[in-house]
Amino acid sequence: MNETGVLLFSYGTLQDKAVQRANFGRELNGRADAMLGYVQRWVEITDPEVIKTSGLARHPIVSASDDPRDEVAGMVFEITGQELEAADRYEVSDYKRVSVRLKSGAQAWVYVKA
C-alpha cells in the first residue's frame, strides 16, 4: 500500500461531497462496490463537529454478520495516506478502521463498529 494508492470503502457519510471537502479539501471520485458478510445499523453521533460536517446526528455503522450473503453497498475511493489520517480524525470512537476484501476483490480500509 503506497501513500497515493490507499483504498477507502464508504457506506455512509464519507460519500457525501460536503464531508469530503471538509475532510480532504476535495471531492473524491469512486466506484460502486460492496462489503460481504456485514450488516448495516445506525449509531447516534454526539460529536458536534461531526454533526456540523455531516448535517446528521444518526450515521450508518456496520458490523460483521453470521451470514456471508449479507451485503452492504457503498463506494470505494482512492485516497492518500494523509487523507486516510484525516478520515481517522473524522470518525468518532464508535468506529474502528479495518481492512476488508470487497465484493470486487479489492482490499480496502473501512470503518466498522468498534
Side-chain angles (χ1 to χ4, degrees), residues 3 5 21 53 57 63 79 89 91 97 99 105 107 109 113:
E3 285 303 293
R21 287 190 301 273
T53 301
S63 54
I79 61 172
R89 290 189 295 274
E91 296 295 352
R97 179 165 48 94
S99 180
Q107 193 75 28
W109 292 109
K113 185 176 180 180

Side-chain angles (χ1 to χ4, degrees), residues 4-97:
T4 57
V6 178
L7 293 181
L8 177 65
F9 179 78
S10 172
Y11 53 86
T13 61
L14 286 172
Q15 295 180 73
D16 183 279
K17 299 298 184 193
V19 171
Q20 292 172 4
R21 287 190 301 273
N23 286 285
F24 309 127
R26 67 183 181 108
E27 292 182 8
L28 304 178
N29 294 313
R31 65 181 184 276
D33 212 327
M35 296 172 63
L36 300 176
Y38 284 82
V39 292
Q40 181 178 303
R41 295 191 172 78
W42 296 93
V43 63
E44 293 296 324
I45 302 298
T46 58
D47 184 305
E49 281 303 306
V50 173
I51 294 170
K52 180 181 171 189
T53 301
S54 71
L56 302 168
R58 283 181 76 223
H59 286 195
I61 194 164
V62 298
S63 54
S65 74
D66 294 327
D67 188 343
R69 295 171 297 184
D70 286 336
E71 187 172 312
V72 176
M75 296 289 288
V76 63
F77 302 104
E78 188 170 331
I79 61 172
T80 67
Q82 189 174 18
E83 289 169 331
L84 186 61
E85 291 173 9
D88 285 345
R89 290 189 295 274
Y90 169 73
E91 296 295 352
V92 296
S93 61
D94 297 284
Y95 297 87
K96 66 179 178 182
R97 179 165 48 94

